[in-house]
PDB file of all heavy atoms in Angstrom:
ATOM      1  N   HIS A 220      14.355   7.372  20.723  1.00  0.00           N
ATOM      2  CA  HIS A 220      14.184   5.980  21.128  1.00  0.00           C
ATOM      3  C   HIS A 220      14.534   5.868  22.600  1.00  0.00           C
ATOM      4  O   HIS A 220      15.599   5.413  22.973  1.00  0.00           O
ATOM      5  CB  HIS A 220      15.089   5.075  20.288  1.00  0.00           C
ATOM      6  CG  HIS A 220      14.538   4.817  18.912  1.00  0.00           C
ATOM      7  ND1 HIS A 220      14.221   5.823  18.044  1.00  0.00           N
ATOM      8  CD2 HIS A 220      14.238   3.670  18.265  1.00  0.00           C
ATOM      9  CE1 HIS A 220      13.750   5.292  16.911  1.00  0.00           C
ATOM     10  NE2 HIS A 220      13.760   3.996  17.021  1.00  0.00           N
ATOM     11  N   PHE A 221      13.602   6.311  23.430  1.00  0.00           N
ATOM     12  CA  PHE A 221      13.810   6.206  24.865  1.00  0.00           C
ATOM     13  C   PHE A 221      13.513   4.781  25.304  1.00  0.00           C
ATOM     14  O   PHE A 221      12.919   3.990  24.568  1.00  0.00           O
ATOM     15  CB  PHE A 221      12.878   7.166  25.615  1.00  0.00           C
ATOM     16  CG  PHE A 221      13.406   8.564  25.737  1.00  0.00           C
ATOM     17  CD1 PHE A 221      12.608   9.649  25.394  1.00  0.00           C
ATOM     18  CD2 PHE A 221      14.684   8.811  26.210  1.00  0.00           C
ATOM     19  CE1 PHE A 221      13.078  10.944  25.511  1.00  0.00           C
ATOM     20  CE2 PHE A 221      15.162  10.116  26.330  1.00  0.00           C
ATOM     21  CZ  PHE A 221      14.356  11.173  25.977  1.00  0.00           C
ATOM     22  N   THR A 222      13.888   4.509  26.516  1.00  0.00           N
ATOM     23  CA  THR A 222      13.621   3.192  27.084  1.00  0.00           C
ATOM     24  C   THR A 222      12.161   3.125  27.528  1.00  0.00           C
ATOM     25  O   THR A 222      11.433   4.103  27.462  1.00  0.00           O
ATOM     26  CB  THR A 222      14.569   2.978  28.265  1.00  0.00           C
ATOM     27  OG1 THR A 222      14.528   4.143  29.077  1.00  0.00           O
ATOM     28  CG2 THR A 222      15.982   2.771  27.772  1.00  0.00           C
ATOM     29  N   GLY A 223      11.745   1.934  27.972  1.00  0.00           N
ATOM     30  CA  GLY A 223      10.326   1.737  28.254  1.00  0.00           C
ATOM     31  C   GLY A 223      10.039   1.378  29.703  1.00  0.00           C
ATOM     32  O   GLY A 223      10.696   0.521  30.263  1.00  0.00           O
ATOM     33  N   GLN A 224       9.064   2.066  30.281  1.00  0.00           N
ATOM     34  CA  GLN A 224       8.551   1.688  31.599  1.00  0.00           C
ATOM     35  C   GLN A 224       7.197   1.027  31.296  1.00  0.00           C
ATOM     36  O   GLN A 224       6.175   1.700  31.211  1.00  0.00           O
ATOM     37  CB  GLN A 224       8.422   2.950  32.469  1.00  0.00           C
ATOM     38  CG  GLN A 224       7.849   2.728  33.853  1.00  0.00           C
ATOM     39  CD  GLN A 224       8.826   1.985  34.753  1.00  0.00           C
ATOM     40  OE1 GLN A 224       9.925   1.605  34.346  1.00  0.00           O
ATOM     41  NE2 GLN A 224       8.420   1.736  35.975  1.00  0.00           N
ATOM     42  N   CYS A 225       7.207  -0.290  31.088  1.00  0.00           N
ATOM     43  CA  CYS A 225       6.038  -0.993  30.548  1.00  0.00           C
ATOM     44  C   CYS A 225       5.248  -1.684  31.666  1.00  0.00           C
ATOM     45  O   CYS A 225       5.814  -2.165  32.630  1.00  0.00           O
ATOM     46  CB  CYS A 225       6.484  -2.021  29.512  1.00  0.00           C
ATOM     47  SG  CYS A 225       7.519  -1.314  28.204  1.00  0.00           S
ATOM     48  N   HIS A 226       3.927  -1.728  31.449  1.00  0.00           N
ATOM     49  CA  HIS A 226       3.016  -2.240  32.477  1.00  0.00           C
ATOM     50  C   HIS A 226       2.218  -3.436  31.982  1.00  0.00           C
ATOM     51  O   HIS A 226       1.915  -3.563  30.803  1.00  0.00           O
ATOM     52  CB  HIS A 226       2.008  -1.155  32.874  1.00  0.00           C
ATOM     53  CG  HIS A 226       2.622   0.031  33.537  1.00  0.00           C
ATOM     54  ND1 HIS A 226       3.352   0.952  32.837  1.00  0.00           N
ATOM     55  CD2 HIS A 226       2.627   0.443  34.834  1.00  0.00           C
ATOM     56  CE1 HIS A 226       3.794   1.898  33.676  1.00  0.00           C
ATOM     57  NE2 HIS A 226       3.364   1.605  34.882  1.00  0.00           N
ATOM     58  N   LEU A 227       1.826  -4.253  32.973  1.00  0.00           N
ATOM     59  CA  LEU A 227       0.799  -5.263  32.741  1.00  0.00           C
ATOM     60  C   LEU A 227      -0.297  -5.001  33.750  1.00  0.00           C
ATOM     61  O   LEU A 227      -0.025  -4.833  34.947  1.00  0.00           O
ATOM     62  CB  LEU A 227       1.387  -6.663  32.952  1.00  0.00           C
ATOM     63  CG  LEU A 227       0.369  -7.805  32.858  1.00  0.00           C
ATOM     64  CD1 LEU A 227      -0.143  -7.942  31.430  1.00  0.00           C
ATOM     65  CD2 LEU A 227       1.004  -9.118  33.332  1.00  0.00           C
ATOM     66  N   TYR A 228      -1.545  -4.952  33.288  1.00  0.00           N
ATOM     67  CA  TYR A 228      -2.670  -4.788  34.212  1.00  0.00           C
ATOM     68  C   TYR A 228      -3.495  -6.068  34.216  1.00  0.00           C
ATOM     69  O   TYR A 228      -3.964  -6.516  33.160  1.00  0.00           O
ATOM     70  CB  TYR A 228      -3.534  -3.583  33.796  1.00  0.00           C
ATOM     71  CG  TYR A 228      -4.859  -3.547  34.521  1.00  0.00           C
ATOM     72  CD1 TYR A 228      -4.914  -3.522  35.920  1.00  0.00           C
ATOM     73  CD2 TYR A 228      -6.067  -3.576  33.821  1.00  0.00           C
ATOM     74  CE1 TYR A 228      -6.126  -3.517  36.600  1.00  0.00           C
ATOM     75  CE2 TYR A 228      -7.284  -3.568  34.484  1.00  0.00           C
ATOM     76  CZ  TYR A 228      -7.309  -3.545  35.880  1.00  0.00           C
ATOM     77  OH  TYR A 228      -8.506  -3.563  36.546  1.00  0.00           O
ATOM     78  N   VAL A 229      -3.643  -6.643  35.415  1.00  0.00           N
ATOM     79  CA  VAL A 229      -4.463  -7.846  35.584  1.00  0.00           C
ATOM     80  C   VAL A 229      -5.831  -7.396  36.065  1.00  0.00           C
ATOM     81  O   VAL A 229      -5.997  -6.931  37.196  1.00  0.00           O
ATOM     82  CB  VAL A 229      -3.811  -8.819  36.593  1.00  0.00           C
ATOM     83  CG1 VAL A 229      -4.676 -10.064  36.759  1.00  0.00           C
ATOM     84  CG2 VAL A 229      -2.389  -9.188  36.139  1.00  0.00           C
ATOM     85  N   ASP A 230      -6.793  -7.520  35.151  1.00  0.00           N
ATOM     86  CA  ASP A 230      -8.132  -6.952  35.351  1.00  0.00           C
ATOM     87  C   ASP A 230      -9.008  -7.852  36.233  1.00  0.00           C
ATOM     88  O   ASP A 230      -8.726  -9.051  36.406  1.00  0.00           O
ATOM     89  CB  ASP A 230      -8.758  -6.787  33.949  1.00  0.00           C
ATOM     90  CG  ASP A 230     -10.135  -6.173  33.987  1.00  0.00           C
ATOM     91  OD1 ASP A 230     -10.309  -5.155  34.688  1.00  0.00           O
ATOM     92  OD2 ASP A 230     -11.037  -6.713  33.311  1.00  0.00           O
ATOM     93  N   ASP A 231     -10.102  -7.279  36.742  1.00  0.00           N
ATOM     94  CA  ASP A 231     -11.120  -8.043  37.490  1.00  0.00           C
ATOM     95  C   ASP A 231     -11.478  -9.336  36.761  1.00  0.00           C
ATOM     96  O   ASP A 231     -11.725 -10.366  37.369  1.00  0.00           O
ATOM     97  CB  ASP A 231     -12.443  -7.257  37.588  1.00  0.00           C
ATOM     98  CG  ASP A 231     -12.290  -5.864  38.153  1.00  0.00           C
ATOM     99  OD1 ASP A 231     -11.165  -5.330  38.122  1.00  0.00           O
ATOM    100  OD2 ASP A 231     -13.306  -5.307  38.593  1.00  0.00           O
ATOM    101  N   LYS A 232     -11.584  -9.212  35.432  1.00  0.00           N
ATOM    102  CA  LYS A 232     -12.101 -10.336  34.648  1.00  0.00           C
ATOM    103  C   LYS A 232     -10.966 -11.152  34.014  1.00  0.00           C
ATOM    104  O   LYS A 232     -11.161 -11.798  32.995  1.00  0.00           O
ATOM    105  CB  LYS A 232     -13.003  -9.802  33.519  1.00  0.00           C
ATOM    106  CG  LYS A 232     -14.079  -8.853  33.963  1.00  0.00           C
ATOM    107  CD  LYS A 232     -15.240  -9.578  34.600  1.00  0.00           C
ATOM    108  CE  LYS A 232     -16.281  -8.558  35.093  1.00  0.00           C
ATOM    109  NZ  LYS A 232     -17.366  -9.199  35.843  1.00  0.00           N
ATOM    110  N   ALA A 233      -9.786 -11.088  34.610  1.00  0.00           N
ATOM    111  CA  ALA A 233      -8.655 -11.814  34.009  1.00  0.00           C
ATOM    112  C   ALA A 233      -8.704 -13.297  34.332  1.00  0.00           C
ATOM    113  O   ALA A 233      -9.114 -13.692  35.424  1.00  0.00           O
ATOM    114  CB  ALA A 233      -7.340 -11.224  34.517  1.00  0.00           C
ATOM    115  N   ASP A 234      -8.260 -14.116  33.386  1.00  0.00           N
ATOM    116  CA  ASP A 234      -8.004 -15.530  33.645  1.00  0.00           C
ATOM    117  C   ASP A 234      -6.622 -15.608  34.308  1.00  0.00           C
ATOM    118  O   ASP A 234      -5.629 -15.141  33.745  1.00  0.00           O
ATOM    119  CB  ASP A 234      -8.025 -16.261  32.297  1.00  0.00           C
ATOM    120  CG  ASP A 234      -7.584 -17.724  32.387  1.00  0.00           C
ATOM    121  OD1 ASP A 234      -6.538 -18.022  33.021  1.00  0.00           O
ATOM    122  OD2 ASP A 234      -8.281 -18.556  31.795  1.00  0.00           O
ATOM    123  N   LEU A 235      -6.561 -16.178  35.492  1.00  0.00           N
ATOM    124  CA  LEU A 235      -5.316 -16.141  36.266  1.00  0.00           C
ATOM    125  C   LEU A 235      -4.163 -16.836  35.545  1.00  0.00           C
ATOM    126  O   LEU A 235      -3.020 -16.361  35.580  1.00  0.00           O
ATOM    127  CB  LEU A 235      -5.517 -16.754  37.662  1.00  0.00           C
ATOM    128  CG  LEU A 235      -4.254 -16.650  38.552  1.00  0.00           C
ATOM    129  CD1 LEU A 235      -3.956 -15.211  38.960  1.00  0.00           C
ATOM    130  CD2 LEU A 235      -4.362 -17.552  39.776  1.00  0.00           C
ATOM    131  N   ASN A 236      -4.457 -17.967  34.871  1.00  0.00           N
ATOM    132  CA  ASN A 236      -3.374 -18.670  34.175  1.00  0.00           C
ATOM    133  C   ASN A 236      -2.793 -17.832  33.047  1.00  0.00           C
ATOM    134  O   ASN A 236      -1.578 -17.762  32.865  1.00  0.00           O
ATOM    135  CB  ASN A 236      -3.870 -20.009  33.621  1.00  0.00           C
ATOM    136  CG  ASN A 236      -4.026 -21.021  34.751  1.00  0.00           C
ATOM    137  OD1 ASN A 236      -3.251 -21.002  35.714  1.00  0.00           O
ATOM    138  ND2 ASN A 236      -5.035 -21.874  34.640  1.00  0.00           N
ATOM    139  N   LYS A 237      -3.685 -17.195  32.301  1.00  0.00           N
ATOM    140  CA  LYS A 237      -3.199 -16.301  31.233  1.00  0.00           C
ATOM    141  C   LYS A 237      -2.384 -15.165  31.844  1.00  0.00           C
ATOM    142  O   LYS A 237      -1.335 -14.778  31.317  1.00  0.00           O
ATOM    143  CB  LYS A 237      -4.376 -15.706  30.446  1.00  0.00           C
ATOM    144  CG  LYS A 237      -5.077 -16.681  29.528  1.00  0.00           C
ATOM    145  CD  LYS A 237      -6.193 -15.965  28.761  1.00  0.00           C
ATOM    146  CE  LYS A 237      -7.136 -16.981  28.121  1.00  0.00           C
ATOM    147  NZ  LYS A 237      -8.359 -16.336  27.600  1.00  0.00           N
ATOM    148  N   ALA A 238      -2.871 -14.641  32.953  1.00  0.00           N
ATOM    149  CA  ALA A 238      -2.167 -13.519  33.588  1.00  0.00           C
ATOM    150  C   ALA A 238      -0.754 -13.934  33.975  1.00  0.00           C
ATOM    151  O   ALA A 238       0.207 -13.200  33.746  1.00  0.00           O
ATOM    152  CB  ALA A 238      -2.939 -13.029  34.809  1.00  0.00           C
ATOM    153  N   ILE A 239      -0.632 -15.138  34.551  1.00  0.00           N
ATOM    154  CA  ILE A 239       0.694 -15.607  34.971  1.00  0.00           C
ATOM    155  C   ILE A 239       1.587 -15.837  33.749  1.00  0.00           C
ATOM    156  O   ILE A 239       2.750 -15.417  33.724  1.00  0.00           O
ATOM    157  CB  ILE A 239       0.563 -16.883  35.836  1.00  0.00           C
ATOM    158  CG1 ILE A 239      -0.043 -16.500  37.194  1.00  0.00           C
ATOM    159  CG2 ILE A 239       1.918 -17.565  36.019  1.00  0.00           C
ATOM    160  CD1 ILE A 239      -0.335 -17.681  38.113  1.00  0.00           C
ATOM    161  N   ASP A 240       1.041 -16.493  32.730  1.00  0.00           N
ATOM    162  CA  ASP A 240       1.834 -16.729  31.507  1.00  0.00           C
ATOM    163  C   ASP A 240       2.350 -15.411  30.922  1.00  0.00           C
ATOM    164  O   ASP A 240       3.533 -15.274  30.609  1.00  0.00           O
ATOM    165  CB  ASP A 240       0.983 -17.427  30.435  1.00  0.00           C
ATOM    166  CG  ASP A 240       0.733 -18.888  30.770  1.00  0.00           C
ATOM    167  OD1 ASP A 240       1.314 -19.387  31.758  1.00  0.00           O
ATOM    168  OD2 ASP A 240      -0.057 -19.523  30.029  1.00  0.00           O
ATOM    169  N   VAL A 241       1.439 -14.463  30.757  1.00  0.00           N
ATOM    170  CA  VAL A 241       1.804 -13.187  30.133  1.00  0.00           C
ATOM    171  C   VAL A 241       2.791 -12.424  31.016  1.00  0.00           C
ATOM    172  O   VAL A 241       3.776 -11.854  30.540  1.00  0.00           O
ATOM    173  CB  VAL A 241       0.536 -12.349  29.838  1.00  0.00           C
ATOM    174  CG1 VAL A 241       0.901 -10.925  29.432  1.00  0.00           C
ATOM    175  CG2 VAL A 241      -0.295 -13.018  28.746  1.00  0.00           C
ATOM    176  N   ALA A 242       2.558 -12.451  32.321  1.00  0.00           N
ATOM    177  CA  ALA A 242       3.440 -11.722  33.245  1.00  0.00           C
ATOM    178  C   ALA A 242       4.859 -12.275  33.187  1.00  0.00           C
ATOM    179  O   ALA A 242       5.834 -11.516  33.092  1.00  0.00           O
ATOM    180  CB  ALA A 242       2.892 -11.797  34.665  1.00  0.00           C
ATOM    181  N   LEU A 243       4.986 -13.602  33.231  1.00  0.00           N
ATOM    182  CA  LEU A 243       6.332 -14.192  33.261  1.00  0.00           C
ATOM    183  C   LEU A 243       7.058 -13.984  31.940  1.00  0.00           C
ATOM    184  O   LEU A 243       8.249 -13.676  31.915  1.00  0.00           O
ATOM    185  CB  LEU A 243       6.248 -15.676  33.587  1.00  0.00           C
ATOM    186  CG  LEU A 243       5.771 -15.988  35.008  1.00  0.00           C
ATOM    187  CD1 LEU A 243       5.746 -17.490  35.232  1.00  0.00           C
ATOM    188  CD2 LEU A 243       6.644 -15.314  36.056  1.00  0.00           C
ATOM    189  N   ASP A 244       6.339 -14.140  30.843  1.00  0.00           N
ATOM    190  CA  ASP A 244       6.982 -13.928  29.545  1.00  0.00           C
ATOM    191  C   ASP A 244       7.438 -12.469  29.389  1.00  0.00           C
ATOM    192  O   ASP A 244       8.552 -12.197  28.957  1.00  0.00           O
ATOM    193  CB  ASP A 244       5.991 -14.282  28.426  1.00  0.00           C
ATOM    194  CG  ASP A 244       6.659 -14.425  27.064  1.00  0.00           C
ATOM    195  OD1 ASP A 244       7.418 -15.391  26.880  1.00  0.00           O
ATOM    196  OD2 ASP A 244       6.428 -13.564  26.191  1.00  0.00           O
ATOM    197  N   SER A 245       6.539 -11.550  29.793  1.00  0.00           N
ATOM    198  CA  SER A 245       6.841 -10.118  29.655  1.00  0.00           C
ATOM    199  C   SER A 245       8.027  -9.713  30.524  1.00  0.00           C
ATOM    200  O   SER A 245       8.790  -8.816  30.173  1.00  0.00           O
ATOM    201  CB  SER A 245       5.629  -9.277  30.063  1.00  0.00           C
ATOM    202  OG  SER A 245       4.511  -9.585  29.266  1.00  0.00           O
ATOM    203  N   LYS A 246       8.152 -10.367  31.662  1.00  0.00           N
ATOM    204  CA  LYS A 246       9.222 -10.001  32.599  1.00  0.00           C
ATOM    205  C   LYS A 246      10.528 -10.746  32.341  1.00  0.00           C
ATOM    206  O   LYS A 246      11.610 -10.162  32.445  1.00  0.00           O
ATOM    207  CB  LYS A 246       8.757 -10.296  34.032  1.00  0.00           C
ATOM    208  CG  LYS A 246       9.759  -9.982  35.139  1.00  0.00           C
ATOM    209  CD  LYS A 246       9.970  -8.500  35.359  1.00  0.00           C
ATOM    210  CE  LYS A 246      11.234  -7.947  34.794  1.00  0.00           C
ATOM    211  NZ  LYS A 246      11.398  -6.510  34.943  1.00  0.00           N
ATOM    212  N   CYS A 247      10.426 -12.063  32.050  1.00  0.00           N
ATOM    213  CA  CYS A 247      11.622 -12.912  32.142  1.00  0.00           C
ATOM    214  C   CYS A 247      12.315 -13.226  30.826  1.00  0.00           C
ATOM    215  O   CYS A 247      13.493 -13.581  30.825  1.00  0.00           O
ATOM    216  CB  CYS A 247      11.269 -14.234  32.811  1.00  0.00           C
ATOM    217  SG  CYS A 247      10.578 -14.015  34.448  1.00  0.00           S
ATOM    218  N   LEU A 248      11.596 -13.142  29.702  1.00  0.00           N
ATOM    219  CA  LEU A 248      12.216 -13.628  28.472  1.00  0.00           C
ATOM    220  C   LEU A 248      13.472 -12.828  28.133  1.00  0.00           C
ATOM    221  O   LEU A 248      14.518 -13.399  27.823  1.00  0.00           O
ATOM    222  CB  LEU A 248      11.203 -13.592  27.321  1.00  0.00           C
ATOM    223  CG  LEU A 248      11.688 -14.265  26.027  1.00  0.00           C
ATOM    224  CD1 LEU A 248      11.915 -15.760  26.229  1.00  0.00           C
ATOM    225  CD2 LEU A 248      10.696 -14.034  24.888  1.00  0.00           C
TER     226      LEU A 248
END
Side-chain angles (χ1 to χ4, degrees):
Chain A
H220 282 56
F221 275 130
T222 48
Q224 178 71 358
C225 306
H226 295 73
L227 175 68
Y228 167 57
V229 180
D230 182 47
D231 306 20
K232 308 282 177 186
D234 172 313
L235 184 69
N236 285 326
K237 287 182 195 169
I239 289 175
D240 287 354
V241 169
L243 293 181
D244 194 69
S245 301
K246 180 71 257 177
C247 302
L248 188 64

